Every structure is written in C-alpha cells, then in structure tokens.
Amino acid sequence: DPRIAKILTLLNAGSLHFPTLQEAAETVFVSPQHLSLLFKRETGLSYSEYLTRLRLDRACRLLDNPDLSIREIAEMSGFSDPDYFSRFFKQNMGMRPGEYRSSK
C-alpha cells in the first residue's frame, strides 16, 4: 500500500520527531483507525509496536557511540525524559542503557 510506504519512509527518515498515529493518519488522509488496520496488515506490527522497535533500534545504535550521553541518546530516540527512557529500555531489552553500552 503506497500510504504505508509513505509512513514507513517518514518513520525511517531519522527525524527526532516520531509522529503519533493521528499525525501519520493525517499525512496520508485516512482516519487513525483505518491507518492502524492498514499498518498492521502491511507490516505485521501495530503502529506502536513498530515505533517501539524503531526507537529501541536507534537507541542501541546510538549507544555504540561513547561520546553521546544517555540523556542525548534518550532525546535522539524520541524520549523527553531520560529516566523514563532507562526504564523503558530495561523493560524491553533486559538491561539499562549503560549496561547495554558496557556489554559491547
């Protein structure tokens, strides 16, 4: 579906802003509910699951750079609160960002 392709391009562009489902739906002129159904059908993941994976993947790649602080990585991964980022990262990756960085 070209609408989903457009959304995936938008999400994977490397922007610091990750659009909400509402914002993404407005971009392709469909309702959020319809976009949610299309997105799941095309990718096999819900919009929020895809965003979670995308943000975690970005965080993991950024953690390879020792010059970036955890706060900077949190912001670059779409998190405004570094403490929440650390909890979110641990919940999804099984370790805190600093532990992940030192395990590399």
Side-chain angles (χ1 to χ4, degrees):
D1 187 303
R3 295 169 290 194
I4 300 304
K6 183 175 182 175
I7 297 300
L8 291 173
T9 299
L10 177 68
L11 291 174
N12 291 299
S15 170
L16 294 181
H17 173 72
F18 292 93
T20 65
L21 180 62
Q22 177 71 40
E23 292 168 337
E26 290 171 2
T27 301
V28 293
F29 308 105
V30 298
S31 72
Q33 297 81 6
H34 187 64
L35 179 61
S36 184
L37 291 171
L38 288 174
F39 200 89
K40 178 82 172 190
R41 188 175 358 166
E42 292 289 321
T43 66
L45 298 170
S46 71
Y47 189 79
S48 63
E49 289 170 331
Y50 189 88
L51 276 182
T52 296
R53 288 186 181 189
L54 186 65
R55 294 166 82 185
L56 286 171
D57 180 59
R58 181 180 291 178
C60 289
R61 283 185 282 116
L62 291 169
L63 284 164
D64 288 339
N65 183 346
D67 296 332
L68 294 173
S69 71
I70 300 299
R71 177 178 295 280
E72 291 170 313
I73 291 168
E75 290 173 5
M76 295 170 79
S77 300
F79 296 88
S80 58
D81 180 352
D83 292 328
Y84 175 73
F85 166 69
S86 290
R87 289 190 308 273
F88 181 85
F89 192 91
K90 182 171 183 172
Q91 179 182 15
N92 287 278
M93 301 298 291
M95 61 182 82
R96 295 209 173 270
E99 295 169 329
Y100 180 88
R101 175 180 268 170
S102 65
S103 72
K104 292 287 191 167

